[in-house]
């Protein structure tokens, strides 16, 4: 069993980064609701507790507070931002509005000697984002860092092992953030750093074998990173007891279905590819509204899956590529927004299976990619850009036809080839077939053909994004290749909209 750091969520937007940060230092962590009782915490026996930030003001009546008995357990606590304010407030300190808030990288000076900030250079720029601050420390605490507008930018009570930072050590924009985390985890909590992903594979393989025994497991394989790594892990654990159904809805990028088939048909598992493109196109015929297209595709996916699995006879377990962010006990009750999970592979809840296997449910996306590589999946698959479940159907404005699909698929192939040559690539890039026609001239002929839009974005979480300022020569090459190599395109435009106000996908 791993040593555990418990992260209590008060609605902070960086809770996952905190967890990633401890895991990258080889200390396992889990995120739980800030409402957890002290008794439950005790049962989990964590080496340390981290209280996250949050959007509330601690002095307001209904703002979230942890169970006060948590401070009686003798477990080290690190409060970050709201977490620091809440801890100080609950232990008798005072928290007030700053008047002027601090946002961004703020000059932070370390004062005096401290355990939490030991060995860290004195002048730092730390990421801050707050409108309240601790104006009076509780008894037993000392100030260990200040900024121009926030006297108590960090504090500690070494006797009780309570620590607070107004800044965010978990984000990469903070100087020495990892060192602060390291001091807390190793010097204060006494963690030994024994969490390794290799162990995750071994542990999970054993757990799957134990759960499944000699029974059969069915997995809906979409070719996305999560379901692919899930298939690789299950195949390592139970080999031919696993059946993967890959529903090719005909809305994938150029050659993608074949690549997936090629990789998985070589593995020791039962792989079924269902070419359902015609079926999907029929259902989509004449449908123009984006939401309706999404709904039709989602439903049809489930129908195809059901049809195929009913041909297989009794299969006892259903496997799903659910990952940790999908199941984190959310701080939704404290007002943060949760990204809606809109995946076409989402299978119905009312299935007739004896049990569900979710072997990736303890992992973050980047950990899933690392495990995928460890299991021998090719780069091409594990480092795949996100691709929407409804596929090219939501990159074709208006109704979807085979002809438009072929055209977009080839334009997208050119975009991917050209941008793919760049050393630093955007996080996501693709072509969109707009529903605009435009006049052009090819040879001596007037044309009236399609307009292709190119999209490339920089983002870390896909919740917001900036457009990528692609070099003009790259854009020029994309444009001349698309208009030259594809007959029915007369014009190429570049989308320079961020999110908000746009979204990554056009529909
Ligand atoms: P938007 O367009 O919402 O996209 O800004 C954000 C990210 O999510 C992907 N996306 C989807 N992924 N099913 C998915 O699995 C969907 O229906 C879907 N819609 C958008 C999109 O490609 C981007 O990475």
């Amino acid at each position: 069993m791993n040593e555990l750091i418990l992260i209590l969520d008060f609605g902070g937007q960086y809770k996952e980064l905190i967890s990633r940060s401890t895991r990258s230092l080889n200390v396992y962590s889990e995120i739980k609701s800030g409402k957890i009782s002290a008794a439950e915490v005790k049962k989990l026996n964590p080496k340390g507790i981290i209280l996250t930030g949050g959007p509330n003001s601690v002095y307001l009546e209904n703002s979230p507070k942890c169970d006060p008995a948590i401070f009686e357990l003798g477990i080290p606590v690190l409060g970050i931002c709201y977490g620091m304010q809440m801890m100080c407030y609950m232990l008798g300190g005072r928290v007030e509005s700053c008047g002027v808030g601090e946002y961004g990288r703020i000059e932070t000076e370390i004062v005096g000697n401290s355990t939490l900030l030991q060995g860290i250079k004195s002048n730092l720029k730390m990421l801050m984002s707050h409108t309240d601050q601790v104006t009076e420390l509780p008894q037993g605490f000392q100030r260990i860092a200040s900024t121009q507008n926030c006297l108590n930018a960090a504090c500690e009570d070494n006797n009780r092992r309570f620590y607070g930072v107004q800044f965010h050590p978990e984000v990469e924009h903070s100087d020495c953030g990892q060192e602060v985390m390291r001091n807390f985890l190793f010097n204060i909590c006494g963690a030994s750093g024994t969490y390794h992903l290799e162990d995750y594979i071994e542990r999970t393989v054993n757990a799957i074998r134990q759960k499944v025994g000699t029974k059969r497991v069915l997995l809906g394989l979409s070719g996305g990173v999560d379901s692919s790594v899930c298939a690789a892990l299950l195949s390592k654990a139970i080999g031919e007891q696993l059946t993967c159904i890959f529903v090719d809805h005909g809305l994938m990028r150029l050659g993608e279905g074949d690549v997936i088939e090629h990789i998985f048909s070589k593995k020791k598992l039962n792989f079924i590819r269902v070419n359902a493109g015609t079926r999907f196109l029929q259902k989509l015929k004449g449908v123009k509204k984006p939401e309706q297209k999404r709904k039709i595709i989602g439903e049809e996916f489930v129908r195809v899956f059901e049809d195929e699995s009913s041909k297989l006879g009794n299969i006892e377990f259903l496997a799903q590529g659910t990952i940790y962010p999908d199941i984190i006990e959310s701080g939704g009750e404290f007002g943060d927004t949760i990204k809606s999970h809109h995946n076409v592979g989402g299978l119905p809840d009312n299935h007739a299976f004896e049990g569900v296997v979710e072997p990736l449910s303890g992992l973050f996306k980047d950990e899933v990619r690392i495990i995928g590589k460890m299991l021998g999946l090719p780069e091409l698959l594990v480092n795949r850009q996100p691709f929407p479940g409804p596929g090219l159907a939501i990159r074709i404005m208006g109704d979807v036809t085979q002809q438009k699909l072929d055209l977009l698929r080839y334009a997208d192939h050119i975009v991917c080839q050209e941008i793919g040559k760049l050393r630093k690539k955007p996080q996501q890039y693709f072509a969109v077939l707009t529903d605009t026609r435009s006049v052009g001239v090819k040879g001596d002929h007037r044309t009236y053909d399609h307009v292709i839009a190119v999209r490339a974005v920089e983002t870390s979480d896909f919740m917001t994004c900036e457009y990528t300022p692609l070099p003009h020569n790259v854009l020029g090459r994309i444009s001349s290749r698309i208009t030259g190599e594809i007959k029915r395109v007369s014009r190429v435009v570049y989308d320079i909209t961020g999110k908000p106000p746009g979204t990554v996908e056009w529909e």
Side-chain angles (χ1 to χ4, degrees), residues 294 342-343 386-390 394 428 462 499 503-505:
R294 280 176 186 277
H342 41 187
N343 211 333
F387 186 63
I394 56 161
Q428 198 171 1
F462 297 92
K499 170 185 177 179
T503 52
V504 176
E505 303 290 345

Side-chain angles (χ1 to χ4, degrees), residues 294 339 341-345 385-391 394-395 428 430 455 457 459 461-465 499 502-507:
R294 280 176 186 277
K339 190 177 173 184
H341 187 60
H342 41 187
N343 211 333
V344 81
Q385 300 178 39
F387 186 63
I394 56 161
R395 293 180 180 170
Q428 198 171 1
F430 52 87
R455 184 85 167 126
V457 297
T459 175
D461 56 9
F462 297 92
M463 308 281 279
T464 59
C465 78
K499 170 185 177 179
T503 52
V504 176
E505 303 290 345
W506 273 40
E507 285 195 339

Side-chain angles (χ1 to χ4, degrees), residues 9 30 33 38 59 62 70 152 168 205 217 283 313 333 346 365 379 394 415 437 441 448 467:
D9 175 24
E30 278 184 13
S33 163
Y59 43 80
N62 290 324
I70 284 177
N152 297 310
H168 289 273
V205 161
V217 178
K283 292 272 173 193
E333 64 264 35
K365 193 78 163 189
E379 286 275 327
I394 56 161
V415 169
R437 298 285 177 115
V441 54
Y448 186 58
Y467 83 91

Side-chain angles (χ1 to χ4, degrees), residues 131-405:
T131 40
D132 288 346
Q133 61 173 312
V134 177
T135 49
E136 222 174 87
L137 294 173
Q139 241 182 7
F141 276 77
Q142 60 157 339
R143 175 182 318 131
I144 57 172
S146 296
T147 70
Q148 199 176 1
N149 292 313
C150 179
L151 193 60
N152 297 310
C155 61
E156 70 181 31
D157 175 343
N158 248 326
N159 287 336
R160 289 185 286 178
R161 296 191 295 170
F162 294 156
Y163 304 82
V165 285
Q166 185 54 68
F167 48 78
H168 289 273
E170 70 276 21
V171 303
E172 55 180 309
H173 299 296
S174 286
D175 294 338
C176 304
Q178 282 293 75
E179 278 81 347
V180 178
M181 295 301 285
R182 195 175 282 135
N183 279 349
F184 180 68
L185 298 173
F186 300 112
N187 299 349
I188 294 166
C189 300
S192 45
T194 49
Y195 171 67
H196 295 287
L197 284 175
E198 288 86 350
D199 304 343
Y200 186 95
I201 297 181
E202 204 184 305
R203 231 183 14 242
T204 310
V205 161
N206 289 337
I208 296 167
R209 287 185 184 145
Q210 210 162 28
K211 179 162 184 174
V212 167
T214 54
K215 295 181 175 164
R216 294 201 295 162
V217 178
L218 185 64
L219 171 71
L221 184 62
S222 70
V225 180
D226 302 343
S227 67
S228 298
V229 176
C230 187
L233 195 53
L234 283 162
S235 120
K236 183 176 167 74
I238 53 168
E240 281 158 16
Q241 284 164 256
L242 172 68
T243 300
C244 293
I245 299 182
F246 165 47
V247 178
D248 185 344
H249 53 18
L251 308 167
M252 315 270 286
R253 283 170 294 194
L254 193 72
E256 223 165 18
D258 296 341
V259 170
I260 291 158
E261 179 171 0
H262 180 71
I263 293 166
F264 287 99
S265 52
K266 283 195 304 199
K267 289 207 171 284
K268 198 172 147 245
L269 50 79
N270 299 302
F271 177 85
I272 299 168
R273 174 176 180 173
V274 191
N275 289 319
T278 316
R279 198 168 154 171
F280 277 84
L281 264 184
Q282 259 162 14
K283 292 272 173 193
L284 287 169
K285 200 166 174 195
V287 180
K288 293 191 167 145
K289 289 192 181 142
E291 277 313 299
Q292 210 184 339
K293 285 196 228 172
R294 280 176 186 277
K295 239 175 128 192
I296 290 171
I297 295 165
E299 268 172 31
E300 197 56 16
F301 189 93
V302 173
R303 295 288 94 78
V304 176
F305 187 83
E306 279 171 353
D307 289 354
E308 288 304 313
S309 54
S310 70
K311 292 181 199 160
L312 295 170
N314 246 1
I315 295 197
E316 293 85 353
F317 284 90
L318 176 69
Q320 305 211 100
T322 317
I323 66 171
Y324 191 45
D326 302 333
I327 57 160
I328 285 173
E329 280 184 61
S330 86
E333 64 264 35
F334 302 137
D336 71 338
T337 343
I338 305 148
K339 190 177 173 184
S340 61
H341 187 60
H342 41 187
N343 211 333
V344 81
L347 296 171
D349 289 338
N350 57 343
H351 52 71
F353 294 91
E354 185 183 313
V356 175
V357 190
E358 296 181 313
L360 307 180
S361 62
L363 299 176
F364 288 102
K365 193 78 163 189
D366 57 336
E367 293 180 308
V368 172
R369 290 190 208 275
I370 296 170
I371 290 223
K373 275 187 217 149
M374 285 175 175
L375 291 168
L377 288 178
E379 286 275 327
L380 167 98
L381 204 63
V382 285
N383 285 333
R384 224 180 142 215
Q385 300 178 39
F387 186 63
L392 298 184
I394 56 161
R395 293 180 180 170
I396 292 174
M397 305 303 98
D399 63 329
V400 182
T401 64
Q402 188 61 52
Q403 195 200 14
K404 288 184 191 174
L405 272 172

